[in-house]
């Protein structure tokens, strides 16, 4: 384990650079995972959910699932093909900023997310601007009031959608993922505190993803998890990205972005 940012964040450099702790406003915010694995996932071919925050790059879903970084050790930076990703943490009073720097060939397209799984109780609320366009994915189909269009990779609805994704509810056997298009800021309220995540990357598509698993995933051994994931891009799978749905490295061969996480009692 490696502690950084004044012990606000703890990372495991050997396990994909995963954030294992985020301590703000007097409490721990990260979910410890379903206990599917102990130790590093380095070298594994199939993603295993370990909780905390995984860095998903150059895709979230698709190939490779959850990107190609979670199974590599980090040493301040990590290499994936032609790309080198570096991050630096800076802490303040109940806040932490993470500055990312990507070097890759001009025109390199990718999707990135801070895949944050949060330690929240039933009744926690997730806030985003009402009416924000949400792209819902096929696992949500059984819970929607309309039939899923044949062959559609996603359908669009306004936040919080017919699924009322703004609340982490009781166990009901559902699991749904959504991308909130062009949504740079989201907040979560849980047990007397509020966590806010804001992503900044001028000139690039800045969105947020929500994964609300109320005991519906995986089908053979379901558990509960809540993901609130600042992201670059507008889709989960890079292979499904239209011309404006992925981040693109400019002619300089470098791209930077900043994730700011803060918390306060409410």
């Amino acid at each position: 384990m490696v502690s950084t940012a004044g012990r606000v964040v703890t990372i495991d450099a050997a396990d994909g650079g995963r954030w294992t702790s985020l301590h703000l406003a007097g409490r721990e915010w990260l979910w410890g995972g379903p206990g599917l694995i102990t130790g590093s996932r380095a070298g594994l071919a199939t993603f295993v959910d370990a909780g905390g925050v995984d860095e998903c790059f150059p895709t979230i879903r698709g190939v490779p699932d959850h990107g190609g970084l979670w199974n590599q050790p980090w040493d301040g930076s990590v290499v994936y093909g032609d790309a080198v990703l570096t991050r630096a943490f800076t802490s303040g009073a109940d806040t932490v900023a993470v500055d990312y720097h990507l070097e890759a060939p001009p025109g390199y397209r990718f999707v990135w997310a801070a895949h944050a799984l949060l330690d929240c109780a039933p009744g926690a609320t997730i806030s985003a601007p009402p009416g924000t366009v949400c792209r819902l994915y096929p696992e949500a189909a059984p819970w929607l009031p309309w039939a899923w269009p044949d062959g559609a990779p996603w359908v669009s609805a306004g936040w919080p959608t017919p699924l009322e994704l703004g609340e982490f509810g009781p166990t009901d056997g559902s699991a749904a993922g959504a991308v909130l298009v062009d949504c740079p800021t989201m907040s979560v309220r849980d047990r007397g505190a509020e966590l806010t995540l804001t992503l900044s990357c001028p000139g690039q598509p800045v969105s947020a993803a929500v994964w609300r698993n109320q005991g519906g995933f995986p089908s053979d051994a379901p558990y509960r998890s809540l993901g609130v994931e600042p992201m670059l891009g507008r889709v989960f799978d890079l292979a499904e990205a239209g011309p404006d749905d992925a981040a693109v490295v400019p002619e300089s061969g470098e791209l930077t972005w900043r994730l700011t996480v803060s918390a306060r009692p409410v």
Side-chain angles (χ1 to χ4, degrees):
M1 292 291 187
V2 176
S3 294
T4 187
R7 299 189 179 275
V8 171
V9 176
T10 303
I11 64 172
D12 189 338
D15 188 32
R18 181 170 63 94
W19 308 22
T20 58
S21 176
L22 173 64
H23 198 273
L24 293 170
R27 60 158 286 180
E28 175 59 51
W29 285 96
L30 298 184
W31 178 62
L36 300 177
I37 192 170
T38 58
S40 172
R41 298 166 295 169
L44 295 183
T46 301
F47 180 77
V48 178
D49 192 356
V53 180
D54 279 308
E55 306 278 357
C56 294
F57 173 92
T59 190
I60 304 171
R61 297 185 182 182
V63 181
D65 184 25
H66 286 74
L69 305 185
W70 59 268
N71 58 359
Q72 296 190 52
W74 284 56
D75 183 14
S77 62
V78 65
V79 177
Y80 182 81
D82 293 333
V84 180
L85 181 63
T86 304
R87 67 185 180 190
F89 294 82
T90 306
S91 64
D94 286 326
T95 186
V96 60
V98 194
D99 288 297
Y100 292 86
H101 179 259
L102 177 66
E103 296 180 64
Y108 185 96
R109 286 165 53 86
F110 68 95
V111 174
W112 164 89
H115 183 270
L117 296 174
L118 303 181
D119 179 16
C120 291
T125 58
I126 305 103
S127 297
T132 296
V133 173
C134 292
R135 290 177 171 177
L136 295 168
Y137 282 74
E139 68 272 5
W143 311 95
L144 293 172
W146 60 73
W148 193 268
D150 289 342
W154 66 76
V155 296
S156 294
W159 175 263
T161 85
L163 301 178
E164 295 298 333
L165 290 175
E167 181 173 353
F168 189 43
T171 300
D172 61 6
S174 68
V179 174
L180 284 71
V181 175
D182 300 335
C183 180
T185 299
M186 294 193 75
S187 296
V188 178
R189 287 195 176 195
D190 175 65
R191 292 170 288 182
E194 181 179 66
L195 184 75
T196 299
L197 305 97
T198 300
L199 182 62
S200 176
C201 187
Q204 300 291 335
V206 173
S207 301
V210 171
W211 168 249
R212 191 186 67 179
N213 175 19
Q214 296 176 165
F217 177 87
S219 58
D220 57 341
Y223 50 85
R224 291 175 57 87
S225 55
L226 176 64
V228 178
E229 308 166 24
M231 61 180 288
L232 294 178
R234 297 187 175 106
V235 292
F236 281 128
D237 188 346
L238 180 61
E240 297 175 346
D244 299 321
D245 288 337
V248 181
V249 175
E251 285 299 317
S252 65
E254 299 181 78
L255 184 65
T256 61
W257 62 93
R258 169 171 277 200
L259 171 62
T260 304
V261 185
S262 60
R264 64 185 181 96
V266 292

